[in-house]
Amino acid sequence: MWINCDALGLALSILTWALLAFTDWVVVRYVLFAWFSTGRPRFPWVPLTDLGTALLVVYQLLLGLSLVSHVRAVTTDPGTITVSEPPGGFQNPRICKLCKGIGQREDGETVSDPSRQNRWKPPRAHHCKTCRRCIFRMDHHCPWINNCVGLTNQKLFILFLIYTCAAAVYTLLLLAAGAFYWLWSQQSWSDAPPPGSASLICSGLVAMECFAAMLFVSDFLQEQVESIQMNSTLVETYQRTHGMRSSTQEHFKAVFGRSWWSWPLPYPSAPRPDYTEPAIADEMDSWLKEETQMITTAWASPGRRPKKPKLPAHGPGTGTRCLITTRLAAMSHRFFLA
């Protein structure tokens, strides 16, 4: 099992579990059991009406999925580089001198290996000082999960954000419905007994917690979705690079897996990483658009042939240059045959 021994990360992880437990206790104690208790329940172990039981099941499901997603994101290896040497023929490999004493057993678990020094650093890998190793497609190190967000656990991190936001919205709706029901059930507001101080304080704290969680989580969730759409990470955004781009659906499959039914389930399902995937400079996109426009214009002009593509002086590695040159050559070939 993967775990980082970072004091701040462990404290924030425990705080997250405590906040989920406190929210669950307040809603069940002061909303569901306060308004839906009955002496003749359908299930003896749940003394609630049918509506109350249904609301309780949905609420526990959301909180349970949020908790499991968080625990799995904390305890899942985010994407440690398991290969010490680059594949044969890989040009201009990078070496990380900080990744020392890291190996992998036959069962796939990462272990200490003092004999390993100066490991290969794939183009889309980045070194995390907290985890003390290179992580493939590292987005950022999140102290709230006491772990990096990488290719392997990015799905779990996103599911944690989604289920937490959904649970926060559901909690606010239950609190609002409970307050409205209390106001509606009073025959005279002037003679109505005030709500208990404990329920009022706890409900207010939970409401503030949910509002803060919605604002905090929704911003992170938007960034994660945008990064998958652009096939990039937060670290690569600052470096002005990204991976090979295709369709949004393929980008999501690279993180969530090929089977769509497994996407909502909190377990790692990302495909096997391709360590040879190049990191493409953002400036290469504008250059590629210009070259594509030039070839397209040549297609529309009979008797005119496109010039040989000229690569920018500063761009990605040789492998990326060869790949893009091959694509442009194929476009030019279609032009000549037209």
Side-chain angles (χ1 to χ4, degrees), residues 132-146:
R132 298 191 297 275
R133 63 194 65 196
C134 285
I135 305 298
F136 186 67
R137 289 181 59 169
M138 171 183 168
D139 187 83
H140 68 287
H141 184 90
C142 180
W144 289 96
I145 65 170
N146 188 33

Side-chain angles (χ1 to χ4, degrees), residues 133-327:
R133 63 194 65 196
C134 285
I135 305 298
F136 186 67
R137 289 181 59 169
M138 171 183 168
D139 187 83
H140 68 287
H141 184 90
C142 180
W144 289 96
I145 65 170
N146 188 33
N147 204 355
C148 277
V149 177
L151 176 65
T152 308
N153 69 341
Q154 187 176 18
K155 167 194 171 181
L156 303 171
F157 180 69
I158 293 176
L159 289 180
F160 166 66
L161 298 179
I162 292 175
Y163 291 133
T164 299
C165 189
V169 173
Y170 194 77
T171 300
L172 290 175
L173 291 176
L174 289 178
L175 292 175
F180 176 79
Y181 180 78
W182 180 83
L183 294 174
W184 178 76
S185 62
Q186 304 301 322
Q187 297 181 355
S188 174
W189 288 2
S190 58
D191 299 333
S197 57
S199 63
L200 192 61
I201 294 175
C202 291
S203 298
L205 291 175
V206 168
M208 290 189 295
E209 174 191 336
C210 290
F211 273 117
M214 288 175 55
L215 295 176
F216 183 75
V217 167
S218 60
D219 183 61
F220 266 98
L221 183 58
Q222 180 182 359
E223 291 181 354
Q224 291 297 307
V225 173
E226 290 177 354
S227 69
I228 294 179
Q229 290 176 335
M230 303 301 293
N231 193 16
S232 182
T233 64
L234 183 61
V235 175
E236 292 175 340
T237 300
Y238 288 115
Q239 296 181 344
R240 301 183 62 82
T241 61
H242 57 80
M244 297 297 299
R245 287 174 176 168
S246 55
S247 63
T248 301
Q249 182 179 9
E250 290 300 320
H251 294 169
F252 272 90
K253 287 181 179 180
V255 175
F256 285 80
R258 296 293 176 182
S259 302
W260 63 268
W261 56 266
S262 67
W263 289 15
L265 304 179
Y267 74 92
S269 58
R272 188 178 183 85
D274 180 12
Y275 292 149
T276 62
E277 181 182 4
I280 304 173
D282 290 345
E283 65 180 16
M284 185 64 75
D285 286 340
S286 59
W287 169 83
L288 185 58
K289 289 180 181 179
E290 293 176 1
E291 294 295 336
T292 304
Q293 182 64 33
M294 182 191 69
I295 296 176
T296 304
T297 303
W299 285 349
S301 302
R304 180 183 177 187
R305 293 188 176 185
K307 299 179 181 179
K308 183 179 179 180
K310 293 181 62 178
L311 290 166
H314 301 283
T318 306
T320 306
R321 289 192 178 97
C322 293
L323 179 60
I324 295 178
T325 303
T326 302
R327 289 187 175 182

